[in-house]
Amino acid sequence: MASALRQRSARRAVLGTLTGLVLALSGVLAVPASSDDVPGVDEIVKSPNMKHLANLPKQGDFGAVNAYGTDLVFKDRYAVTGNYNGFTVYDIGRPARPKIVSQVSCVGAQNDVSIAGNLLFLSTDAARSDDSCQSAPGKVADASSWEGIKIFDISDVRNPRYVKSVETQCGSHTHTLVPGKGRDRGSVYVYVSSYLLGPGSVGPDCQYPFDQISIVKVPLKAPTSAAVVATPVLFPDGGNPGGGDTSYPTTGCHDITAYPKLNLAAGACMGDGALFDISDPAKPEVITVVRDTANFAFWHSATFNARGDKVVFTDELGGGAGATCNPVVGPNKGANAIYDIVGKGSERKLVFRSYYKISRTNADTENCVAHNGSLIPVKGRDIMVQAWYQGGISVWDFTDSRRPKEIGFFERGPLSTTQSILGGSWSAYYYNGYIYSSDIQKGFDVLDITDRRTDKGKRVRLDLLNVQTQPDYFD
């Protein structure tokens, strides 16, 4: 999420500036929607096949407006949500009655989360005075400031224990886990994504051009030995220089999704979408790169279909803070783009097929744009659930790459009709038969979709789900 940079000072610029820049680049301005088209403040609207089972509001220090709820990860009967102030562990053994098990205070945007074994990984993408959970804001130009990956032992989910930190260049905006292979099976590789928003270098460890990721190797039984083992440059030619109607220059990746079973990863890298060969987890290689200078402003995230022959890329137009779900912006900007993967081996290409964007008009005070989602595991179909910030949650089918269609939705009305407040669903994921959402302001939501097109997904059970490390659901 580009809007996570609200706390980022010089490196990421002020969020309002970012939003204005992106909207200016795309030649669009959010305009007030008709009041007849938009639900009332906090009013819930949904399709008949969606049921809202539960909501747990943000608690304690995590309840402030600027304590944004972020990403989600699942293990066994637990869900963990990130928050700018730390992370929360929920017991979802009874999905309609989730309970908070523990809450760990550890300030550091964005605090994206993932799990491997008994280890939880937390991203810090804001300069801090040190690597502790009690750190104060630091200065990005100060070499002594810290940002990167924090590692917690969650063997006891009621008392997570901080065990190790690894500093990474330009911090860790997001991260992706790639399991080791062969003799390395006891390790996990952490692909750390971060980026610069412009050509200016920021501090001694974040120099322009920044077309690389940091790879941290973590022995699962000896996490205190975790260390950066590679910093591959993914775009040696500099990547997309920016320009066109919307396109940002490529100066790093926002997010990478791995599909380990297929030795593939898809990178959403600001101005570029990329497909990587990750046969050697420590040495990812670019297979092919695509651009969309007409409609995509900021390549944000990626999702493979189950067969691994399609990728859905998202465009976070407006940095997650803009009101882009309206007729003026239109259906092709701030949307998903569906690409087929054609060819074999090193000759594979990404071929554009269509865009998908929710059709519901949002108010001019509602941040709404394509964001994080996951597959609903229905064999023979390509269906996913996806967060759209204050645009709510959409369940949609892209089995026909050229004709995607929505099959269910859940949405709240705006947080306010008079002022813009950052909110809505950051991540909406499907896990063991239910949809779980981390809402920036409203907290933790649980939903159930009952539909002949998705019901078979309820049969698929997992012990672990890091959405950015896609499992083979049908193995």
Side-chain angles (χ1 to χ4, degrees), residues 67-103:
Y68 306 136
T70 61
D71 210 3
L72 271 165
V73 65
F74 305 89
K75 181 181 180 182
D76 300 325
R77 61 179 294 158
Y78 301 102
V80 182
T81 62
N83 182 286
Y84 270 53
N85 282 352
F87 63 90
T88 303
V89 181
Y90 296 89
D91 185 332
I92 55 171
R94 300 175 68 184
R97 297 185 179 180
K99 297 179 180 179
I100 293 177
V101 175
S102 58
Q103 188 166 282

Side-chain angles (χ1 to χ4, degrees), residues 169-170 194-196 205-212 250-253:
Q169 294 181 41
C170 277
S194 208
Y195 55 89
L196 291 164
D205 65 344
C206 195
Q207 299 290 310
Y208 181 85
F210 191 79
D211 296 315
Q212 67 189 51
T250 297
T251 54
C253 290

Side-chain angles (χ1 to χ4, degrees), residues 421-446:
I421 301 172
L422 190 71
S425 180
W426 179 296
S427 297
Y429 298 150
Y430 191 89
Y431 179 68
N432 291 350
Y434 296 89
I435 294 169
Y436 298 90
S437 169
S438 175
D439 189 287
I440 294 170
Q441 301 297 345
K442 297 295 185 180
F444 188 66
D445 286 302
V446 186

Side-chain angles (χ1 to χ4, degrees), residues 272-295:
D272 290 296
L275 191 67
F276 305 119
D277 182 327
I278 56 169
S279 301
D280 183 345
K283 298 178 180 179
E285 297 183 358
V286 176
I287 299 172
T288 189
V289 175
V290 290
R291 295 172 186 166
D292 182 350
T293 56
N295 287 309

Side-chain angles (χ1 to χ4, degrees), residues 5-310:
L5 309 178
R6 186 183 290 268
Q7 297 180 351
R8 191 64 181 164
S9 73
R11 180 183 307 171
R12 301 291 195 263
V14 177
L15 183 57
T17 303
L18 168 60
T19 304
L21 175 58
V22 177
L23 291 175
L25 279 170
S26 53
V28 297
L29 292 173
V31 297
S34 166
S35 59
D36 295 335
D37 298 330
V38 180
V41 172
D42 282 346
E43 178 187 357
I44 289 176
V45 293
K46 58 186 180 62
S47 56
N49 57 1
M50 295 282 275
K51 185 176 182 180
H52 189 210
L53 299 181
N55 170 262
L56 275 178
K58 298 188 296 182
Q59 305 285 314
D61 293 343
F62 291 20
V65 172
N66 63 353
Y68 306 136
T70 61
D71 210 3
L72 271 165
V73 65
F74 305 89
K75 181 181 180 182
D76 300 325
R77 61 179 294 158
Y78 301 102
V80 182
T81 62
N83 182 286
Y84 270 53
N85 282 352
F87 63 90
T88 303
V89 181
Y90 296 89
D91 185 332
I92 55 171
R94 300 175 68 184
R97 297 185 179 180
K99 297 179 180 179
I100 293 177
V101 175
S102 58
Q103 188 166 282
V104 176
S105 295
C106 196
V107 176
Q110 302 181 130
N111 279 341
D112 275 10
V113 288
S114 63
I115 293 174
N118 289 319
L119 301 179
L120 180 141
F121 300 87
L122 197 68
S123 278
T124 301
D125 190 33
R128 307 298 300 175
S129 58
D130 56 56
D131 65 352
S132 73
C133 283
Q134 296 75 42
S135 66
K139 297 180 179 180
V140 292
D142 189 340
S144 65
S145 291
W146 183 91
E147 52 189 330
I149 289 285
K150 298 185 178 83
I151 305 173
F152 292 79
D153 186 321
I154 56 168
S155 301
D156 181 357
V157 293
R158 289 168 176 78
N159 296 287
R161 182 170 56 90
Y162 184 15
V163 295
K164 174 69 174 179
S165 72
V166 179
E167 187 170 14
T168 57
Q169 294 181 41
C170 277
S172 175
H173 193 65
T174 65
H175 68 268
T176 302
L177 303 186
V178 179
K181 301 177 180 180
R183 294 181 181 180
D184 250 356
R185 285 185 179 177
S187 297
V188 65
Y189 291 83
V190 185
Y191 286 14
V192 176
S193 296
S194 208
Y195 55 89
L196 291 164
L197 276 179
S201 299
V202 181
D205 65 344
C206 195
Q207 299 290 310
Y208 181 85
F210 191 79
D211 296 315
Q212 67 189 51
I213 60 172
S214 296
I215 300 179
V216 178
K217 182 178 180 180
V218 184
L220 296 178
K221 292 185 177 179
T224 56
S225 300
V228 175
V229 295
T231 54
V233 174
L234 302 178
F235 301 95
D237 65 349
N240 188 346
D245 289 336
T246 62
S247 186
Y248 250 92
T250 297
T251 54
C253 290
H254 180 278
D255 213 334
I256 294 172
T257 294
Y259 200 158
K261 176 73 177 292
L262 300 181
N263 291 321
L264 285 177
C269 301
M270 299 183 72
D272 290 296
L275 191 67
F276 305 119
D277 182 327
I278 56 169
S279 301
D280 183 345
K283 298 178 180 179
E285 297 183 358
V286 176
I287 299 172
T288 189
V289 175
V290 290
R291 295 172 186 166
D292 182 350
T293 56
N295 287 309
F296 259 44
F298 192 94
W299 296 68
H300 175 276
S301 51
T303 302
F304 289 97
N305 68 336
R307 293 182 59 183
D309 58 9
K310 299 177 186 177

Side-chain angles (χ1 to χ4, degrees), residues 441-460:
Q441 301 297 345
K442 297 295 185 180
F444 188 66
D445 286 302
V446 186
L447 300 102
D448 184 20
I449 182 168
T450 302
D451 190 287
R452 61 177 178 76
R453 293 163 289 189
T454 61
D455 286 347
K456 289 182 180 179
K458 296 178 183 291
R459 304 173 188 173
V460 178

